[in-house]
Amino acid sequence: MLTGFKNFIMKGNVVDLAVAVVMGAAFGAVVTSIVEGLLTPLIGRLFSAKGIAEMQWEGFMYGSVISSIISFLLVAAAIYFVVIVPMNHMIERRNRRLGIGTEVKEEAAEDPQIALLTEIRDELRNGSRRAE
């Protein structure tokens, strides 16, 4: 039973996923601190508030919603541009180097034998229609 558990844990996908979660959490903390420490106060000052989270209208704390949306968009953009785009470029370069997915669409010259057989077939069809 423990051997099966050990094999499960040591699979590459599980280890990769664990590393991704830890890295994502650390990266998210960095982006969140940038949003909360720099961007939120700057945007709040534009609207005469200490920060976005303190912005409210008749008791509705719309500022915290805006702050969460900005934080989400910045985390998503940072992950996309720092992780996804470089990974896609690396995968594309690797595939080109290995010749994967780069089917060359060359116009194959028609085989003369096939062309001749096609002509014979067409003539036979036309000839059998003439005989009727």
Side-chain angles (χ1 to χ4, degrees), residues 34-52:
I34 291 171
V35 169
E36 291 176 356
L38 295 175
L39 299 177
T40 301
L42 288 174
I43 294 171
R45 293 232 172 124
L46 291 174
F47 295 99
S48 301
K50 288 183 181 179
I52 294 177

Side-chain angles (χ1 to χ4, degrees), residues 21-99:
V21 168
V22 171
M23 293 288 291
F27 193 68
V30 170
V31 174
T32 301
S33 69
I34 291 171
V35 169
E36 291 176 356
L38 295 175
L39 299 177
T40 301
L42 288 174
I43 294 171
R45 293 232 172 124
L46 291 174
F47 295 99
S48 301
K50 288 183 181 179
I52 294 177
E54 285 78 28
M55 294 169 51
Q56 59 180 331
W57 175 71
E58 294 186 13
F60 293 104
M61 300 293 292
Y62 68 91
S64 62
V65 175
I66 293 172
S67 178
S68 297
I69 291 170
I70 290 172
S71 180
F72 170 78
L73 291 175
L74 289 175
V75 168
I79 289 173
Y80 178 75
F81 289 110
V82 174
V83 177
I84 302 298
V85 170
M87 283 298 293
N88 286 342
H89 286 295
M90 287 174 38
I91 290 169
E92 186 178 315
R93 276 189 285 161
R94 185 200 66 197
N95 288 346
R96 270 187 295 190
R97 186 186 52 189
L98 297 175

